[in-house]
Amino acid sequence: MPPKTRHVPVVIVGGGQAGLSVSYHLKQRGIEHHVFEKNTAAHTWSTQRWDSFCLVTPNWQCDLPGHPYDGPDPDGFMKKDEIVAYLKAFVAKVDPPLREGVAVNRVARREDGLFDVHTSDGDYTASEVVVASGGYHTPIIPRMAEKLPGSITQIHSNQYRNPGQLPEGEVLVVGSGQSGAQIAEDLHLAGRKVHLAVGDAPRCARFYRGRDVVTWLADMGYYEMTVDNHPLRDGVRDNTNHYVTGRDAGRDIDLRRFAIEGMKLYGLMEDYQDGSLRFRDDLKRSLDSADRTYNGINAAIDKYIAENGIEAPPQEHYSPVWVPGEPILSLPLEGSGITSVVWCIGFTPDFRWLDASVFNGAGSPKHKRGITSEPGVSFIGLPWLNTWGSGRFGAVGRDAEYVVGVIQKRLGTERPALKFAV
Ligand SMILES: Cc1cc2nc3c(=O)[nH]c(=O)nc-3n(C[C@H](O)[C@H](O)[C@H](O)COP(=O)(O)OP(=O)(O)OC[C@H]3O[C@@H](n4cnc5c(N)ncnc54)[C@H](O)[C@@H]3O)c2cc1C
């Protein structure tokens, strides 16, 4: 006898904070569902972050539905283990119908309008599929990596744990977004000689005029701004995150200061050719641009303070503490001391298991607040799904409530789902 196909009104693919937030709101409305998680809840936080990792966002922004941060340090930044504990406590509170260790391998529309959901634990049908599988799937490793000699150890940021994991010698970190800048700092603080290929990521201050910049921006309404109101519109979803850290109660990351302390900075890494690493002549421009953003955010805070008559201690704007000299465009690898490379240039999404016409040609879904043009297919947890906090702890709960509201309406008006034997 062929195995039975079970029907669930709603299937959630992924049991991270996004999938669990959807489960919370479905449970609130009494809507039956399954959460399929191919690993475990909190898997990405426990297995894909380095040992010294801590949140960049202050703890008070951890606002999962029914589970706001209530620890002793709302203005602090949870460390990796504390984040995992926070999520596990959320799982305990929600008590979701979570199926850990079950991968969704394929989802496709059937002729009767339902979805076939093929999992590693059998087949299901569903009326609604919520994609909560995260946005950081395939680590980007450029083709030039293949040309580096085999003697060089190469890892991606999601494999980086600590300086001791890398062979002795100097380390080339490629990319200066949030991960690259923090990993370069981690290595630098451990006394490793770091070479950093700087990209075009912006940066922001940790604290300005007596408060965390995030707190100022929250008061200024920045986190309420939706994609539709953002000057870049959908383009904001491709923005690189600002680099800053929550480490040791939070501080700026100033690459120029690292340079004074011995870190070697280069422009964007372009290639490895004839035994030499090749860099673009854009280091000065990238550092200047990051500082412009930094000072621009602070200037916006100044304006807000002035307009609202707020008492706040004055603070100077940032002036560069170091400027690059003659650019190094080519660095012979031999003799450089470099023995390892950490690629910190991001990820591409992988939704190949979802057979639906909801993608933009570059592998990213087209949607409005997570709702696609394909009835029954929704996304949650992606950067700027609706607001800045959508891909973070801050607003995923709010987005989940919206998506579940749409699902509830659709389930309420659809024809009764075909029932398959359970
Ligand atoms: C380096 C880094 C630092 C970050 N720092 C912060 C921060 O300071 N503050 C903040 O708020 N946010 C931060 N974020 C962003 C965000 O909070 C995390 O990316 C978070 O993990 C997103 O949660 P999620 O549930 O959307 O996705 P994930 O945590 O990635 O969860 C998705 C889950 O889906 C599962 N899955 C995937 N495919 C399938 C499938 N086919 N079948 C079944 N299960 C599947 C995975 O196993 C995974 O557990 C950071 C992200 C990164 C990468």
Side-chain angles (χ1 to χ4, degrees), residues 165-183:
Q165 151 200 27
L166 300 175
E168 277 189 26
E170 305 186 9
V171 187
L172 170 64
V173 176
V174 183
S176 59
Q178 252 181 30
S179 294
Q182 288 179 51
I183 289 171

Side-chain angles (χ1 to χ4, degrees), residues 195-222:
H195 301 251
L196 176 64
V198 176
D200 60 1
R203 76 181 187 110
C204 65
R206 176 78 276 170
F207 303 104
Y208 185 62
R209 301 193 63 179
R211 296 169 86 205
D212 193 314
V213 163
V214 170
T215 311
W216 283 120
L217 292 176
D219 287 358
M220 289 158 68
Y222 180 68

Side-chain angles (χ1 to χ4, degrees), residues 354-408:
L354 175 59
D355 184 1
S357 309
V358 295
F359 297 102
N360 66 2
S364 295
K366 289 185 289 182
H367 63 88
K368 195 162 171 49
R369 294 186 75 174
I371 307 301
T372 71
S373 56
E374 177 98 28
V377 180
S378 321
F379 284 78
I380 189 78
L382 300 179
W384 280 96
L385 191 93
N386 187 41
T387 61
W388 180 89
S390 290
R392 299 177 167 88
F393 280 114
V396 67
R398 216 164 45 180
D399 291 348
E401 184 170 14
Y402 176 78
V403 165
V404 168
V406 173
I407 289 173
Q408 185 178 31

